[in-house]
Amino acid sequence: MSCLQTIQDYALRSVGIGERLLPREDFTLCEQVTLIGSGMIWNIYFGLIAIALGFFAATGMALAKNSSNPWLRKPAEFFIYVFRGSPLFIQMFFAYAVFVVLKQSVPFFAPFTSAWLGATLVLFLNTTAYTAEIFYGALQSIPKGDLEAADAYGITGRTRFTRIVWPSMLRLAWPAYTNEAIFLFHATALVFFSGFPVWGQRGDALYYASYFADKTFNPFVPYPILAGFFIILTLVVITIFGQVGKRLNRHLPQAVIRRPGFMRTIMR
């Protein structure tokens, strides 16, 4: 089988498109790269959904923790403490066990025992807690002069938040939030090795890497391939978040670095 035919058969296998049976022997490098890459579809899905929803939820949670109203502040503090204080791996196991019990009496919770929904929910709650703490710290670090200037110009309420508080919060929090996004995508590798089962051998990238490592008794091929895919994914995340960070800081003066000319370098 040619590598092109292997890509056609297995590139979308993790989402149920293509060849149903996994290769059993004489594994080629193309098969390993293709199947592990196919599993990365699930890792990207988990990360994107959790990041997209968690960003807005974390903003509200940070504002609640920063509120002077104890009915808002205390629940937010408790939520953040619980999800930051317990390991994500344990949260996965606990959530799956709870969903299994609940679906026996309430059929509505049956889909939550699947990784596409249940694991995504856990990742969403986890990143919401960590991001909320980052945003809360940024809220506390907003220069008082900016807020005093807003008060002096009579900018209050929603306009004050959308024009001054929220942009300043994002600008201050963005480097730490970029790290959180990277850690979240890496954490997606835990999904199918926690409590949520693999359905029809349609697992994530780590599932396929482990499959090849077990069959060949050689972990030094599939796991470096897996690491390579995550390195590429991390580079993409850093690039996208870096561009957003530049956009947020576009109004700030940028340092101009003068590189020494060739003749000046020679003279030195």
Side-chain angles (χ1 to χ4, degrees), residues 162-227:
T162 57
R163 294 295 184 88
I164 298 174
V165 176
W166 198 52
S168 297
M169 179 194 75
L170 291 181
R171 178 172 55 83
L172 294 171
W174 204 253
Y177 182 55
T178 301
N179 288 333
E180 166 58 22
I182 294 172
F183 293 152
L184 176 67
F185 277 104
H186 291 173
T188 59
L190 297 175
V191 171
F192 285 102
F193 280 83
S194 55
F196 294 93
V198 174
W199 182 70
Q201 294 182 329
R202 298 175 188 175
D204 69 341
L206 184 56
Y207 170 81
Y208 288 110
S210 298
Y211 173 82
F212 287 118
D214 292 340
K215 293 294 183 179
T216 62
F217 301 100
N218 181 15
F220 298 104
V221 174
Y223 288 128
I225 294 173
L226 174 64

Side-chain angles (χ1 to χ4, degrees), residues 28 30 51 54 63-64 71-72 78 124 130 161 163 184 198 217 265:
T28 65
C30 184
I51 283 288
L63 292 174
W71 292 100
L72 294 176
F78 177 77
F124 156 70
Y130 278 92
F161 175 75
R163 294 295 184 88
L184 176 67
V198 174
F217 301 100
T265 303

Side-chain angles (χ1 to χ4, degrees), residues 58 62 65 80 84 127-141 169-170 172-181 183:
K65 185 175 180 179
I80 294 172
R84 291 179 68 235
T127 192
T128 296
Y130 278 92
T131 305
E133 188 67 19
I134 293 172
F135 286 173
Y136 171 73
L139 285 173
Q140 295 293 306
S141 301
M169 179 194 75
L170 291 181
L172 294 171
W174 204 253
Y177 182 55
T178 301
N179 288 333
E180 166 58 22
F183 293 152

Side-chain angles (χ1 to χ4, degrees), residues 31-54:
E31 288 175 342
Q32 298 189 48
V33 172
T34 302
L35 278 167
I36 295 173
S38 176
M40 286 296 296
I41 296 174
W42 280 111
N43 296 95
I44 295 173
Y45 162 80
F46 293 137
L48 284 179
I49 298 299
I51 283 288
L53 299 179

Side-chain angles (χ1 to χ4, degrees), residues 88-100 103 112-116 118-119 122 189-199:
L88 176 59
F89 200 65
I90 302 302
Q91 295 172 17
M92 291 283 187
F93 272 109
F94 182 76
Y96 178 72
V98 171
F99 291 145
V100 168
K103 79 171 185 177
F112 286 87
T113 58
S114 301
W116 70 270
V122 177
L190 297 175
V191 171
F192 285 102
F193 280 83
S194 55
F196 294 93
V198 174
W199 182 70

